[in-house]
Amino acid sequence: VFARYARLHMQLLPLFRVLDREYREGGLPMMRHTILVESGSGAAWEELRDAPDQHFLGDDLLVAPVVEEGALSRTVVLPAGRWYELLGDGSIDAGSGGTFTVDAPLDSIPVLARAGSILPLGDPEVQTSYPETNSEVVGSSDRANRLNLVVFLGGSSDLVVGERTWSFDGTGPLGEGLPRLDGDELAPTCADDGETNCMELNDPERGVQILRVNWNYDDNPILQGAGWSLAPSYTDEYPSGTVTLRYPES
């Protein structure tokens, strides 16, 4: 369990850098109370505002740690819209918002991602962000030209990562057919570990597609599927990576 969360922490470094910039430029903390993220009035809003033991990481991840000994589930109060389990495969259509029960096994903390959001992740092979001379240890500088993105169908948003703005339009609904990059259809499968511009996984039962993408185009490329699109403002910093599309499971 420790190794799993240590790897996740390393993968979240691109997100932490985004949140650090937001703190330095606007004063918003990384961990945020509901009143810093959501606004409203009435009984439903008060229930969300006063929900105990849950907080936001940035504006789009809701974290609900288990604080009751022996508990294997817990209730969360969700804002309106669809919310995806970050560490699982399910999703919750919260409608106009309300209280829901989520599973909380001993090895998994409930974390829910807002529909329409973009989550930047580092390469899963990276073991450290410190300068490293051991060739057997993969440092962040060894994968500096890679960026993995997770996008959640059901809305749209922009995210600034470094000097680049990523724009996601995921209003859906999700249709059939292979996604296209700059007009060219991606290969339906990836023949080997080094192939890009191909679909690594498509699992409707889990509601997930994983695409390997080489963004190295002269113009600003658009990755587009039926019901969604993702485009960077320019591409010379991160030429390759994966795009994971999460959508309501069948």
Side-chain angles (χ1 to χ4, degrees):
V1 175
F2 173 81
R4 177 191 183 194
Y5 281 96
R7 289 192 295 268
L8 177 61
H9 184 266
M10 287 302 306
Q11 281 191 271
L12 286 171
L13 281 180
L15 173 64
F16 294 149
R17 294 188 179 108
V18 169
L19 299 181
D20 177 65
R21 188 196 67 247
E22 292 179 356
Y23 166 73
R24 288 184 284 107
E25 294 179 354
L28 282 172
M30 293 188 183
M31 295 173 60
R32 299 171 187 173
H33 190 278
T34 298
I35 60 175
L36 296 176
V37 178
E38 300 288 331
S39 61
S41 60
W45 156 244
E46 292 176 0
E47 182 183 21
L48 177 62
R49 180 198 63 194
D50 298 335
D53 308 322
Q54 65 179 53
H55 65 272
F56 285 86
L57 181 62
D59 285 348
D60 297 319
L61 292 181
L62 190 150
V63 185
V66 175
V67 295
E68 180 182 340
E69 184 177 359
L72 297 177
S73 64
R74 64 154 291 167
T75 59
V76 295
V77 184
L78 296 177
R82 183 173 292 276
W83 292 82
Y84 292 83
E85 297 176 14
L86 182 62
L87 304 181
D89 299 323
S91 66
I92 299 172
D93 183 359
S96 58
T99 301
F100 300 85
T101 299
V102 296
D103 292 334
L106 293 177
D107 61 348
S108 185
I109 182 173
V111 182
L112 296 148
R114 188 191 305 270
S117 63
I118 306 170
L119 175 63
L121 296 174
D123 192 283
E125 295 182 355
V126 171
Q127 298 166 285
T128 180
S129 60
Y130 289 94
E132 182 55 61
T133 58
N134 186 340
S135 60
E136 297 183 359
V137 176
V138 180
S140 56
S141 60
D142 298 320
R143 300 290 188 273
N145 64 342
R146 291 184 59 84
L147 180 69
N148 299 328
L149 300 170
V150 186
V151 293
F152 301 89
L153 196 73
S156 58
S157 64
D158 295 329
L159 181 71
V160 178
V161 182
E163 301 299 323
R164 176 188 293 101
T165 299
W166 295 86
S167 298
F168 174 57
D169 181 358
T171 51
L174 185 68
E176 297 182 355
L178 289 168
R180 294 177 176 270
L181 180 63
D182 211 32
D184 297 326
E185 192 173 82
L186 271 60
T189 59
C190 299
D192 54 56
D193 291 342
E195 185 176 2
T196 58
N197 296 346
C198 57
M199 181 176 288
E200 180 178 308
L201 175 70
N202 183 27
D203 190 339
E205 292 186 0
R206 294 171 53 202
V208 59
Q209 290 182 0
I210 301 178
L211 313 172
R212 297 187 199 164
V213 180
N214 186 339
W215 296 101
N216 192 18
Y217 283 72
D218 292 335
D219 298 322
N220 298 338
I222 299 177
L223 179 64
Q224 190 167 28
W228 66 276
S229 65
L230 177 67
S233 54
Y234 63 94
T235 62
D236 59 346
E237 187 178 349
Y238 299 112
S240 64
T242 61
V243 173
T244 299
L245 173 69
R246 294 285 306 277
Y247 56 94
E249 63 278 12
S250 60

